[in-house]
Amino acid sequence: MPTTTDPTGAGGVAARGVFAGLNPAVVSVLALLAERGNFDPVARAQDHLARLKAELKITPAQDKAWQGFATQVSQQAETMKKRFAQRPDPKAEAQMHAPERMAQQLAQMQERLKDMQALRDRVADLYAVLTPAQQTLADQHFARMGREMREHMGQIVGLSQLPGFHVL
């Protein structure tokens, strides 16, 4: 497993604009996965959705809200895959002037914000129909997912070896 102490290395530059607003370590990991051919957000999303649905034990009465959530997650995974495929050439991006680069990143962050708002709405819809026990599982799942992602990202890019790195 390759390690690096530069979380914004060449791979990060290639992906930075596509994933503007994400932690630089996350961007670097996505770039590393893409370079290895392991970055398929659609497959990852489908796997995640299947596990989450089973964990929550979604009932037929909750299926409409679940489908809304699952559709949003799937659409965003498709969008991420397209954005990544269309990422700017790292050499061209490196030649951009600061105001131009920042304008591009701002536009991409605004797109990502709209995605997050839409997902938040679908999560709220789903959460509203969950039982208290399922809500507890959902809370634990999303907290665990974030923590595991940060740990995994740190291991892949070697961030856990950097002074001051810790998983929140």
Side-chain angles (χ1 to χ4, degrees), residues 1 30-31 40 42 55 57 87 123 140 148 166:
M1 187 175 300
L30 294 175
D40 184 352
V42 175
E55 183 179 344
K57 298 178 181 158
R87 69 190 182 274
V123 169
Q140 292 169 352
E148 288 173 355
H166 64 281

Coordinates of all heavy atoms in Angstrom, one line a residue, residues 1 30-31 40 42 55 57 87 123 140 148 166:
M1 N 0.8 -1.2 0.0 CA 0.0 0.0 0.0 C 0.9 1.2 0.0 O 1.7 1.4 0.9 CB -0.9 0.0 1.3 CG -1.9 1.0 1.3 SD -3.0 0.9 2.7 CE -3.7 -0.7 2.5
L30 N -9.0 9.5 -3.0 CA -9.8 9.2 -4.2 C -8.9 9.2 -5.4 O -9.1 8.3 -6.3 CB -10.9 10.3 -4.3 CG -11.9 10.3 -3.2 CD1 -12.8 11.5 -3.4 CD2 -12.7 9.0 -3.1
A31 N -7.9 10.1 -5.5 CA -7.1 10.0 -6.7 C -6.2 8.8 -6.7 O -6.1 8.2 -7.8 CB -6.1 11.3 -6.6
D40 N -14.8 3.4 -7.9 CA -16.1 3.3 -8.5 C -17.2 3.7 -7.5 O -17.7 2.8 -6.7 CB -16.4 1.8 -9.0 CG -17.7 1.7 -9.8 OD1 -18.5 2.7 -9.8 OD2 -17.9 0.6 -10.3
V42 N -20.2 4.4 -7.8 CA -21.5 3.8 -8.0 C -21.6 2.4 -7.3 O -22.5 2.1 -6.6 CB -21.9 3.7 -9.5 CG1 -23.2 3.0 -9.7 CG2 -21.9 5.1 -10.1
E55 N -29.2 -3.4 7.7 CA -28.9 -3.0 9.1 C -30.1 -2.3 9.7 O -30.5 -2.6 10.9 CB -27.7 -2.1 9.1 CG -27.3 -1.7 10.5 CD -26.1 -0.8 10.6 OE1 -25.3 -0.7 9.5 OE2 -25.8 -0.1 11.6
K57 N -33.2 -2.7 8.7 CA -34.4 -3.5 8.6 C -35.6 -2.7 8.1 O -36.6 -2.6 8.8 CB -34.7 -4.3 9.9 CG -33.5 -5.2 10.3 CD -33.8 -5.9 11.6 CE -32.6 -6.8 11.9 NZ -32.5 -7.1 13.3
R87 N -12.5 15.5 -14.7 CA -11.6 16.3 -13.9 C -10.6 17.0 -14.8 O -10.2 16.4 -15.8 CB -10.9 15.6 -12.8 CG -9.9 14.5 -13.2 CD -9.5 13.7 -12.1 NE -8.5 12.7 -12.5 CZ -8.7 11.5 -13.0 NH1 -9.9 11.2 -13.2 NH2 -7.7 10.7 -13.3
V123 N -32.3 12.3 3.7 CA -32.0 11.6 5.0 C -33.1 12.0 6.0 O -33.6 11.2 6.8 CB -30.6 12.0 5.5 CG1 -30.4 11.6 6.9 CG2 -29.6 11.4 4.6
Q140 N -25.8 5.9 14.7 CA -24.5 5.2 14.9 C -23.9 4.8 13.6 O -22.6 5.0 13.4 CB -24.8 3.9 15.7 CG -25.2 4.1 17.1 CD -25.8 2.9 17.8 OE1 -25.9 1.8 17.1 NE2 -26.0 3.0 19.1
E148 N -14.8 5.7 10.2 CA -14.1 4.6 9.5 C -13.5 5.2 8.2 O -12.4 4.8 7.8 CB -15.0 3.5 9.1 CG -15.4 2.7 10.3 CD -16.5 1.6 10.1 OE1 -17.0 1.6 8.9 OE2 -16.7 0.8 11.0
H166 N -4.7 12.7 13.8 CA -5.6 11.9 14.6 C -7.0 11.8 14.0 O -7.4 12.7 13.3 CB -5.7 12.4 16.1 CG -6.3 13.7 16.2 ND1 -5.7 14.9 15.9 CD2 -7.6 14.1 16.5 CE1 -6.5 15.9 16.1 NE2 -7.7 15.4 16.4

